[in-house]
Amino acid sequence: MLSKLYIVRHCEATGQASEAPLTVQGTQQAEKLTEFFSTLKVDQIISSPFERAIQSIFPFAQKTGIPIATDERLKERVLSNENLEDWLEKLKASYEDMEIRYDGGESSLEASNRIIELFEEIKRSEVNTSIIVTHGNLLSLALKYYDQAFGFSDWEKLSNPDIYLLQLDGDQVIIRRLWENRE
């Protein structure tokens, strides 16, 4: 059965903490997401438990009456629990070596495995169309799982928000970016 997963990177937020809300612009972006999804028949919404992710899809959920389920597997990857001065270089290295892990952090492989586990559960279910709301690094690692060419430079090009459609049909996967140049 064909599963359509609309993977959404959250709208602009005030910070990186789990409780960081959307900015004023982020709230406006959430309304644009509602418009974008308004013509689709959506079966379920699954979001990161982080406030910015929930707020990004809340207007659509409210308009359609579709409840927002949260899933811990969608929360952002922790690169390290230390303040890394060279975090960008370390993040780039983690796309090249998926098993590298920094103090208190999660490897790219570990993060990728948890989101793919969720995708596989959805694929095995009777659900046709899902909206999945997550974070930039995790979204990019999921895309890298299905397309090894997707890497750090692609992560850098992600916008807030951003939307990719994954169509999973047996062993076939089609990836398409849908939000490009919408701001």
Side-chain angles (χ1 to χ4, degrees):
M1 182 168 91
L2 175 67
S3 296
K4 289 183 179 181
L5 306 179
Y6 290 88
I7 309 173
V8 179
R9 182 187 192 189
H10 64 79
C11 301
E12 183 182 272
T14 60
Q16 295 297 310
S18 62
E19 67 278 359
L22 297 181
T23 63
V24 171
Q25 181 176 349
T27 301
Q28 293 167 349
Q29 292 167 342
E31 293 297 333
K32 289 180 182 178
L33 284 177
T34 300
E35 291 171 28
F36 178 86
F37 287 121
S38 67
T39 60
L40 297 179
K41 182 189 177 308
V42 174
D43 299 310
Q44 69 178 353
I45 300 169
I46 307 174
S47 176
S48 159
F50 287 19
E51 188 67 23
R52 60 191 178 270
I54 294 168
Q55 287 182 347
S56 293
I57 201 63
F58 182 78
F60 176 75
Q62 191 173 39
K63 180 178 179 179
T64 61
I66 301 170
I68 301 171
T70 58
D71 194 307
E72 291 288 321
R73 292 173 289 186
L74 294 173
K75 62 184 183 178
E76 183 61 289
R77 170 193 179 200
V78 174
L79 185 62
S80 173
N81 64 2
E82 295 180 2
N83 185 13
L84 302 173
E85 297 278 333
D86 59 345
W87 70 270
L88 198 57
E89 289 81 22
K90 288 196 175 354
L91 181 64
K92 183 177 182 179
S94 76
Y95 281 87
E96 295 159 11
D97 179 353
M98 296 285 286
E99 294 185 30
I100 194 169
R101 181 192 291 164
Y102 303 106
D103 289 340
E106 183 178 31
S107 73
S108 291
L109 184 60
E110 291 168 322
S112 175
N113 285 343
R114 67 179 156 88
I115 192 170
I116 298 305
E117 178 183 46
L118 175 62
F119 291 178
E120 289 298 317
E121 284 176 17
I122 294 168
K123 188 172 141 182
R124 288 189 303 270
S125 75
E126 298 297 314
V127 175
N128 292 320
T129 305
S130 304
I131 295 176
I132 310 294
V133 188
T134 190
H135 306 271
N137 188 215
L138 197 59
L139 182 155
S140 67
L141 291 172
L143 296 175
K144 183 172 180 57
Y145 175 85
Y146 294 109
D147 176 3
Q148 289 297 307
F150 200 95
F152 178 77
S153 63
D154 298 295
W155 168 80
E156 288 181 304
K157 295 173 190 165
L158 292 177
S159 61
N160 288 94
D162 214 328
I163 304 172
Y164 279 82
L165 172 60
L166 258 67
Q167 293 178 285
L168 307 174
D169 191 6
D171 291 336
Q172 184 179 14
V173 178
I174 299 169
I175 301 172
R176 208 172 57 172
R177 188 176 189 190
L178 303 177
W179 193 257
E180 197 167 20
N181 299 322
R182 289 206 171 249
E183 294 288 339

